[in-house]
Amino acid sequence: MEKMLVGCFLLVLGQILLLLPTEARERPPWRSISRGRHARTHPQMALLESSCENKRADLVFIIDSSRSVNTHDYAKVKEFIVDILQFLDIGPDVTRVGLLQYGSTVKNEFSLKTFKRRSEVERAVKRMRHLSTGTMTGLAIQYALNIAFSEAEGARPLRENVLRVIMIVTDGRPQDSVAEVAAKARDTGILIFAIGVGQVDLNTLKAIGSEPHEDHVFLVANFSQMESLTSVFQNKLCTVHMCSILEHHCAHFCINTPGSYVCRCKQGYILNSDQMTCRIQDLCAAEDHGCEQLCVNVLGSFVCQCYSGFTLAEDGKRCVAVDYCASENHGCEHECVNADGSYFCRCPKGFALNPDKKTCTKIDFCASSHHGCQHECVNIGDSYSCRCLKGFTLNPDKKTCRKLDSCALGDHGCEHSCVSSEDSFVCQCFEGYILREDGKTCRRKDVCQTVNHGCEHICVNSDESYICKCLEGFQLAEDGKHCRRKDVCKSTYHGCEHICVNRGNSYICKCSEGFVLAEDGRRCKRCTEGPIDLVFVIDGSKSLGEENFEIVKQFVAGIIDSLAVSPKAARVGLLQYSTQVRTEFTLRNFNSAKDMKKAVAHMKYMGKGSMTGLALKHMFERSFTQVEGARPLSTRVPRVAIVFTDGRAQDDVSEWASKAQANGITMYAVGVGKAIEEELQEIASEPTDKHLFYAEDFSTMGEISEKLKKGICEALEDSDGSQDSPAGELPKKGHQPTESEPVTINIRDLLSCSNFAVQHRYLFEEDNVSQSTQKLFHSTKSSGSPLEEKHDQCKCENLIMFQNLANEEVRKLTQRLEEMTQRMEALENRLRYR
């Protein structure tokens, strides 16, 4: 109803106009409207006053803040903006205002949702600071299109037909392309006014501004003349826009023009002859689509497809016959054979195909009762053979078996004597000898117990003799009997895998270069085997290209190969960014390098813009959260991000790079080709010479990969707070026993080590303590300095000596038991044969 009333009102005004003199009906030159070929004109609109009251519009100023604009001119620009604001009806339900200024990067001063009153907007304009950098005009328009006019930043939905306006002011030639991105903005329904100051190329302004250019493109000699445009813009911004008051019937978009409107279609569609409805653009109708078999239209493009039994080749055009057996999913256990339009499975000789038509089962020839073997039947290849039990041999008929005398064969290998058993034999030794571990040869019994060996610490049997050995921490003297103390690293079993370093009364373990100390303080592991949370942030912009994107994927796979990927060691995530950010996988998705590399190989190239700052924001806010698999900060697991880019970012990177570094994330920046050095320096952690890598092309990616691996290794070494922690502590000692003094251990000290006492309680039974043990250990105090009676610690050094001797006693007792068992078995054999 309201729109009908407006139409009637316009008709009445038109009739009044006809009654006026010709001069009064003529429009002034600055109000002239240039109609497009298909524009729907409404002459009555020219009579309406230029009033912005209750005017619904979303207006974004884009201001050139490059170094070519001096301080005085920058102030003139701000005055011009304030003058424009005076005739706008600013509020959430009427006109919303946002402002961007740009140089080498884009700075969002305030968005469409920030302020609700004119006074607030004016204060924000007056507080603006000059950027004084480059002139990235195209980048600023791209930012406005993608972000400033998004609903999240306060723009009203397109379905509400609210006028969207960009007013851009520039004084120089852009350092990037503007025509394509400006056309995209205009195609979405945004009205662009381009204002050039000074020596600006008029063709550049026309590439930016809306048509007709005489209504939307302006060029003034200097910044002082900008105030002359205030009244012009009051007229243009406040004119009633037809899309908002008439039933325009546009199927997709209605675009306001001065005094009229035109219809536009979404990308992938073209306008029908009625200039209102749209149809999908039939790109397959062109003869040069190149598809070998089928061409299928999709929005804004087309895809090639193939007939059944064929698949699309890598060029996306040709079709090749499907090799069903080449797929890993055919399921054949042995052999896959292609058939017409399908495949079948086949088994080798000696196997039969199972009912599932996939797997094979070996034919069991022995399952038949007709094999004739007396003892055992054994399947071999595609036949069988007979085998006899132990102690029997196969007769010439290859079926039956006859019993053997194992010892009579002469190949038993017994050094002393062979005794046949039921189906085998056993070796036995002469009196005074015992059987060795090989069960064949013999050695003399315990020499250490039968002679006065004179060993100060330990006597060890060796064939038909003995040797003296020393306890841990001691070494044998030249006489081969007595023992003297070694240095700490040599006198104890330190367990250091690489290097033992003496430190006072103790020692520490250290590792060789390229290794870090493991959690047990003794073993060493390669630095890349340590725990780390690593996130790749990969540039997938259009400038990279699909071939170079494959090189980047190989680069990522190489870094992953150097890591020990597991939930307890290295966790890896990956983001790809372009105009948007896509999480390829998080830190919790994969537990193996194999699965992770497969995900990298299948990663699809995005191929659009380069919003590096947006990717860093995503990485900082989400990728290193526990929800996505990062370990808590309390675990002190290093957090590392590797950012790869090949060109200039279309947004600001410094804010989120600084936040990531301040929150303990080590940032590596890898730039190739047209990457901007100042952006790489903002991304990389300090010192930048260790965290920033640049190459002119992709030929040196291998060198960068090796440097990165070394850098990650150093980061892990620096983060390991326990690398030089002592691997073992020796107790402080008073008097050390000399070579001639007997070593004394107090039974109370042994009992204070509860685990030791329980495990070796049999050693305290009087019958089980050997003469050599009693000689070295007794419960009375020695003639030297007495041991302190402490119930809260073990006397480690004496305890080690005691345990070694205890182990020797256990070995001797076990040996005696074996000898007694053998004698009993021999006696039983003799009685059996009698």
Side-chain angles (χ1 to χ4, degrees):
M1 178 63 75
E2 291 179 356
K3 294 181 178 179
M4 291 177 63
L5 291 174
V6 172
C8 292
F9 176 65
L10 295 176
L11 290 173
V12 172
L13 287 178
Q15 295 300 318
I16 295 172
L17 177 64
L18 295 174
L19 299 175
L20 295 175
T22 303
E23 293 79 1
R25 282 184 277 132
E26 291 180 348
R27 288 180 295 177
W30 55 272
R31 293 286 303 277
S32 62
I33 299 175
S34 175
R35 297 182 178 88
R37 182 173 57 177
H38 305 296
R40 290 157 177 77
T41 59
H42 293 268
Q44 297 89 341
M45 292 304 301
L47 293 173
L48 293 178
E49 292 186 2
S50 298
S51 172
C52 282
E53 186 176 358
N54 296 323
K55 177 74 173 183
R56 298 179 78 224
D58 290 340
L59 170 61
V60 174
F61 290 96
I62 300 179
I63 304 304
D64 184 347
S65 188
S66 61
R67 61 176 64 89
S68 61
V69 180
N70 60 42
T71 303
H72 178 267
D73 292 339
Y74 186 72
K76 287 291 184 182
V77 174
K78 294 200 287 187
E79 291 176 7
F80 171 71
I81 296 171
V82 172
D83 289 343
I84 295 294
L85 296 176
Q86 302 311 307
F87 58 76
L88 298 179
D89 189 1
I90 296 176
D93 298 325
V94 279
T95 299
R96 301 180 184 179
V97 180
L99 190 146
L100 313 173
Q101 62 171 334
Y102 69 93
S104 296
T105 58
V106 180
K107 182 178 182 184
N108 183 19
E109 292 292 342
F110 52 86
S111 63
L112 292 169
K113 67 180 180 180
T114 305
F115 300 120
K116 298 178 175 59
R117 289 186 293 274
R118 180 188 294 116
S119 59
E120 296 174 338
V121 179
E122 289 179 358
R123 281 196 297 271
V125 171
K126 293 175 181 178
R127 287 198 301 266
M128 287 195 312
R129 294 290 181 265
H130 192 196
L131 298 179
S132 294
T133 53
T135 313
M136 301 297 288
T137 310
L139 183 64
I141 298 174
Q142 182 74 57
Y143 186 95
L145 177 62
N146 292 347
I147 298 176
F149 280 108
S150 66
E151 293 183 33
E153 292 296 311
R156 282 162 280 199
L158 288 172
R159 63 178 178 273
E160 296 185 13
N161 287 323
V162 175
L163 179 65
R164 293 185 171 185
V165 181
I166 287 177
M167 187 175 292
I168 184 165
V169 180
T170 181
D171 81 324
R173 185 182 297 274
Q175 294 176 336
D176 56 357
S177 176
V178 297
E180 182 180 354
V181 67
K184 286 183 180 178
R186 295 194 300 269
D187 286 345
T188 62
I190 299 175
L191 195 66
I192 303 179
F193 291 96
I195 305 169
V197 182
Q199 302 298 319
V200 180
D201 179 34
L202 184 58
N203 290 329
T204 300
L205 294 177
K206 289 180 178 180
I208 296 173
S210 296
E211 293 183 350
H213 292 145
E214 57 265 26
D215 291 326
H216 300 92
V217 176
F218 304 89
L219 183 61
V220 294
N222 53 59
F223 285 91
S224 298
Q225 292 184 7
M226 288 180 60
E227 61 184 0
S228 65
L229 300 175
T230 303
S231 59
V232 176
F233 283 114
Q234 181 176 8
N235 174 62
K236 294 185 180 298
L237 292 175
C238 299
T239 299
V240 175
H241 293 277
M242 306 302 288
C243 289
S244 61
I245 66 171
L246 295 180
E247 290 290 343
H248 50 74
H249 299 295
C250 294
H252 287 180
F253 300 121
C254 177
I255 308 299
N256 288 292
T257 61
S260 184
Y261 70 93
V262 293
C263 296
R264 294 278 176 84
C265 297
K266 298 177 182 176
Q267 186 176 3
Y269 293 81
I270 58 175
L271 205 61
N272 288 321
S273 59
D274 61 5
Q275 301 301 314
M276 291 185 293
T277 58
C278 302
R279 70 178 184 274
I280 294 177
Q281 192 173 9
D282 186 4
L283 296 176
C284 286
E287 296 180 356
D288 59 349
H289 56 71
C291 297
E292 182 179 357
Q293 293 184 358
L294 299 174
C295 176
V296 179
N297 283 297
V298 295
L299 282 180
S301 184
F302 67 89
V303 293
C304 297
Q305 292 183 356
C306 299
Y307 301 134
S308 177
F310 291 84
T311 185
L312 204 62
E314 292 182 357
D315 61 3
K317 304 284 186 179
R318 296 178 298 102
C319 296
V320 294
V322 176
D323 183 0
Y324 296 96
C325 289
S327 169
E328 296 180 356
N329 300 320
H330 57 70
C332 296
E333 181 181 5
H334 285 177
E335 185 180 357
C336 174
V337 180
N338 281 300
D340 188 18
S342 183
Y343 69 95
F344 64 89
C345 298
R346 189 162 59 191
C347 299
K349 188 177 180 180
F351 289 80
L353 196 65
N354 290 324
D356 63 3
K357 302 299 182 182
K358 302 280 187 179
T359 58
C360 301
T361 301
K362 188 174 179 64
I363 299 174
D364 187 1
F365 297 96
C366 291
S368 170
S369 60
H370 303 295
H371 55 74
C373 298
Q374 181 182 2
H375 284 181
E376 295 178 350
C377 175
V378 181
N379 286 295
I380 54 170
D382 56 353
S383 184
Y384 72 94
S385 66
C386 296
R387 186 170 63 189
C388 296
L389 299 174
K390 192 174 182 180
F392 294 81
T393 185
L394 199 64
N395 287 319
D397 62 5
K398 303 297 182 182
K399 301 282 186 178
T400 58
C401 303
R402 68 178 183 274
K403 186 174 177 60
L404 292 175
D405 181 354
S406 302
C407 290
L409 294 175
D411 59 351
H412 49 75
C414 297
E415 182 181 2
H416 285 187
S417 62
C418 174
V419 178
S420 295
S421 61
E422 183 175 353
D423 57 354
S424 184
F425 67 92
V426 293
C427 295
Q428 292 183 353
C429 298
F430 301 145
E431 188 69 27
Y433 291 83
I434 59 173
L435 204 61
R436 286 194 173 93
E437 288 76 9
D438 61 5
K440 304 278 187 177
T441 58
C442 301
R443 62 177 174 81
R444 287 188 179 275
K445 292 183 179 179
D446 192 350
V447 181
C448 288
Q449 288 188 340
T450 59
V451 299
N452 183 19
H453 51 74
C455 297
E456 182 181 1
H457 283 185
I458 303 170
C459 174
V460 179
N461 289 296
S462 176
D463 291 331
E464 298 181 3
S465 183
Y466 68 91
I467 58 172
C468 295
K469 289 190 175 181
C470 297
L471 298 173
E472 189 71 28
F474 294 82
Q475 63 184 12
L476 201 63
E478 289 75 9
D479 62 2
K481 303 281 187 177
H482 294 87
C483 299
R484 63 170 181 266
R485 181 175 293 279
K486 299 185 289 188
D487 60 32
V488 180
C489 281
K490 294 181 179 178
S491 63
T492 61
Y493 178 69
H494 52 75
C496 298
E497 185 177 2
H498 282 190
I499 304 168
C500 174
V501 179
N502 288 299
R503 178 171 289 181
N505 291 330
S506 184
Y507 65 93
I508 59 171
C509 295
K510 288 193 173 183
C511 296
S512 304
E513 184 178 355
F515 292 80
V516 293
L517 209 58
E519 291 74 14
D520 61 3
R522 287 179 168 81
R523 292 180 300 104
C524 295
K525 58 187 178 184
R526 291 195 176 275
C527 56
T528 50
E529 295 176 2
I532 183 173
D533 288 346
L534 172 63
V535 174
F536 290 93
V537 183
I538 301 302
D539 185 350
S541 62
K542 179 170 62 178
S543 61
L544 185 66
E546 291 189 358
E547 291 185 3
N548 290 333
F549 187 71
E550 292 301 316
I551 296 176
V552 174
K553 287 161 65 173
Q554 295 172 12
F555 165 80
V556 172
I559 299 295
I560 292 173
D561 275 334
S562 70
L563 301 172
V565 177
S566 73
K568 292 186 178 180
R571 300 182 185 179
V572 182
L574 192 148
L575 305 177
Q576 184 188 169
Y577 72 93
S578 179
T579 303
Q580 298 177 334
V581 182
R582 184 169 74 203
T583 300
E584 300 293 350
F585 50 88
T586 68
L587 292 168
R588 72 164 59 252
N589 284 148
F590 298 109
N591 296 332
S592 72
K594 179 181 178 182
D595 293 340
M596 197 174 293
K597 287 164 62 181
K598 185 180 294 183
V600 172
H602 289 86
M603 190 166 60
K604 300 299 182 184
Y605 173 52
M606 296 177 75
K608 293 185 179 179
S610 184
M611 304 295 284
T612 310
L614 186 64
L616 294 177
K617 179 177 185 293
H618 185 104
M619 177 272 293
F620 173 75
E621 292 182 339
R622 296 179 60 180
S623 298
F624 284 105
T625 62
Q626 289 182 245
V627 174
E628 293 203 358
R631 283 162 280 200
L633 290 172
S634 58
T635 63
R636 299 180 63 189
V637 173
R639 293 182 171 184
V640 176
I642 300 176
V643 183
F644 176 90
T645 180
D646 81 319
R648 182 185 296 275
Q650 294 177 341
D651 55 359
D652 181 42
V653 301
S654 60
E655 177 185 357
W656 296 104
S658 299
K659 286 184 179 180
Q661 295 167 15
N663 282 270
I665 300 174
T666 301
M667 303 288 291
Y668 288 90
V670 181
V672 177
K674 297 182 180 180
I676 306 303
E677 182 178 359
E678 61 182 15
E679 288 182 357
L680 296 176
Q681 290 177 343
E682 288 175 340
I683 294 171
S685 296
E686 293 291 340
T688 54
D689 61 334
K690 290 189 177 181
H691 298 87
L692 189 155
F693 304 94
Y694 173 79
E696 292 183 356
D697 53 49
F698 286 84
S699 63
T700 58
M701 290 296 290
E703 297 177 11
I704 293 178
S705 176
E706 293 304 314
K707 291 178 181 178
L708 262 177
K709 293 174 187 176
K710 182 178 180 182
I712 294 172
C713 181
E714 292 175 354
L716 285 171
E717 289 178 345
D718 294 338
S719 67
D720 190 352
S722 63
Q723 285 194 23
D724 288 339
S725 60
E729 291 290 339
L730 294 178
K732 295 181 178 179
K733 295 180 281 292
H735 171 74
Q736 299 294 329
T738 63
E739 294 182 358
S740 60
E741 292 179 323
V743 182
T744 303
I745 186 166
N746 196 314
I747 295 300
R748 282 191 295 271
D749 294 330
L750 290 173
L751 293 176
S752 67
C753 286
S754 57
N755 290 337
F756 184 95
V758 170
Q759 293 173 6
H760 303 288
R761 58 183 178 271
Y762 63 86
L763 295 174
F764 298 101
E765 298 175 6
E766 184 176 353
D767 293 339
N768 291 331
V769 180
S770 70
Q771 182 178 0
S772 60
T773 308
Q774 292 175 8
K775 177 180 178 181
L776 294 175
F777 297 86
H778 52 83
S779 59
T780 60
K781 297 181 180 179
S782 67
S783 59
S785 176
L787 296 172
E788 296 178 0
E789 296 183 2
K790 293 185 179 179
H791 297 284
D792 60 344
Q793 69 175 22
C794 296
K795 297 296 185 288
C796 300
E797 188 170 330
N798 288 341
L799 208 55
I800 291 172
M801 187 185 302
F802 184 89
Q803 186 169 5
N804 288 335
L805 288 171
N807 290 339
E808 179 66 17
E809 287 302 312
V810 170
R811 188 189 64 76
K812 293 176 181 177
L813 290 172
T814 303
Q815 182 175 314
R816 290 176 187 170
L817 180 61
E818 290 175 352
E819 291 174 0
M820 292 177 65
T821 302
Q822 292 172 0
R823 290 174 184 172
M824 290 294 294
E825 290 176 351
L827 181 60
E828 289 177 1
N829 289 331
R830 294 192 188 108
L831 292 173
R832 185 183 298 115
Y833 285 110
R834 289 181 181 178

